[in-house]
Amino acid sequence: MPNETVSTATSPIAVETGEVLVQVTNVNKHYGSLHVLKDINLDVRRGEVVVIIGPSGSGKSTLCRTINRLETIDDGEIRIDGKPLPKEGKALAKLRADVGMVFQSFNLFAHRSVLQNVTLGPMKVRGKSSSEAKERAMELLKRVGVDNQADKLPAQLSGGQQQRVAIARALAMSPKVMLFDEPTSALDPEMINEVLDTMATLAKQGMTMIVVTHEMGFARRAADRVVFMADGQIVEQNTPEEFFANPQSDRAKDFLSKIL
Ligand code: ADP
Ligand code: MG
C-alpha cells in the first residue's frame, strides 16, 4: 500500500482495492473519567491485515472489543460491511459470528470437546445441521493441525493447540473479519510460532484481520499496515517496512526502542 494514503490518523484514507469492511469513525469511549478511545478512525478493507501495536493500557483491547460490541461506545460509529453494529438479540449474535475473535486467554468451553467447541456456534447461530457442522469443523481442525485432538477436552491440550482450536472455532462461523487480541501472549515461547504460523497462513489466504500483538516479527511478515496506538489515540500508521524503519512520532520511536 502506498505510504501517502496511510501517513497519519487524521488523513482521509483513500479507497484502494477492496471495499471497506470495518469502518470505525470518530469513536470515543470513556471508562468513568478515563478517556480510553479518543476519536478513533480506522478503516480496514476486505483482505487487509492490520496489526495494532502500542504500549499496555493504550486502548488496543478496548478498540477490538468495541468492534464486536463486547463494549459499547460513547459516540462515533462502527460499521461492518456497511452496516452499523446491532445493539442486541439475534442480529448481535450474527454480528459476533461475522466478527470472529480470538483472545489472549483461552476462552474455549471447558466442558465441551474440541469438536463441540467448533460445531456449537454454526448450529446455533448459522442454523447448520449437526452433520454439516461436524464435517466443516473437522476440516477446520485439520487446517489448524489439531484434528487428532477432536474428542479431547480443551484442558487436555497445550496452550498453543487451544489457541488453534479457538481460531478454528471462529472460522467455523465463516466470519467476514477476524480479530486477534494478543493471541500468543499467554503462551509458552515454544508454542508461539505455531499460532503465529496459523495466523500468517490465514492472512495469506485473504482473510481480513485485525491483530493486536507484541510479536513484531509477525507484524513485519504478515501486516499490510501497522497501526500504532498510545494513550487512546492512533498516533501513526504505515506499512510495516516504513513504520519500523522510519517511525515518525516520539512515542512510536520510544516504544520501538524498548521492544526491538
Ligand atoms: P491495552 O489493550 O492497549 O493494554 P486496554 O484497552 O485494555 O489497553 O485498556 C485501556 C485503558 O482502559 C487502561 O487504562 C485500562 O486500565 C482501562 N480499562 C480497560 N478495561 C476497563 C474496564 N472494564 N473498566 C475500567 N477501565 C478499564
Ligand atoms: Mg490489551
Side-chain angles (χ1 to χ4, degrees), residues 167-234:
I167 292 171
R169 182 174 66 173
L171 290 177
M173 302 296 254
S174 307
K176 291 177 176 166
V177 53
M178 287 280 287
L179 304 179
F180 295 86
D181 188 5
E182 297 197 32
T184 61
S185 54
L187 294 178
D188 292 333
E190 72 271 20
M191 291 167 195
I192 290 175
N193 279 335
E194 66 191 47
V195 174
L196 293 179
D197 287 346
T198 302
M199 291 164 59
T201 303
L202 203 55
K204 268 207 192 99
Q205 291 165 342
M207 177 59 74
T208 310
M209 293 167 51
I210 299 175
V211 182
V212 177
T213 187
H214 294 296
E215 297 290 336
M216 298 301 130
F218 177 83
R220 283 176 192 277
R221 141 166 98 120
D224 294 307
R225 177 160 40 126
V226 172
V227 169
F228 175 72
M229 279 185 79
D231 194 24
Q233 286 173 301
I234 293 179

Side-chain angles (χ1 to χ4, degrees), residues 31 34 36 55-62 71:
Y31 285 122
L34 179 68
V36 60
S56 172
S58 52
K60 306 181 298 296
S61 292
T62 305
E71 298 283 355

Side-chain angles (χ1 to χ4, degrees), residues 13-72:
I13 295 180
V15 176
E16 303 177 348
T17 55
E19 67 276 47
V20 174
L21 191 57
V22 179
Q23 187 171 37
V24 177
T25 310
N26 300 121
V27 163
N28 283 281
K29 179 172 181 66
H30 294 77
Y31 285 122
S33 62
L34 179 68
H35 197 174
V36 60
L37 295 178
K38 297 174 183 164
D39 212 28
I40 298 286
N41 287 283
L42 179 69
D43 285 359
V44 180
R45 285 182 207 85
R46 200 179 296 281
E48 197 180 11
V49 178
V50 171
V51 169
I52 303 179
I53 65 173
S56 172
S58 52
K60 306 181 298 296
S61 292
T62 305
L63 176 59
C64 281
R65 293 167 60 82
T66 62
I67 291 174
N68 69 351
R69 218 173 185 285
L70 289 171
E71 298 283 355
T72 56

Side-chain angles (χ1 to χ4, degrees), residues 115 118-123 128-140 172:
L115 181 64
V118 184
T119 56
L120 284 174
M123 290 165 63
K128 303 277 187 214
S129 71
S130 156
S131 61
E132 207 180 348
K134 261 188 199 164
E135 192 180 335
R136 173 87 175 125
M138 287 309 296
E139 240 174 67
L140 288 167

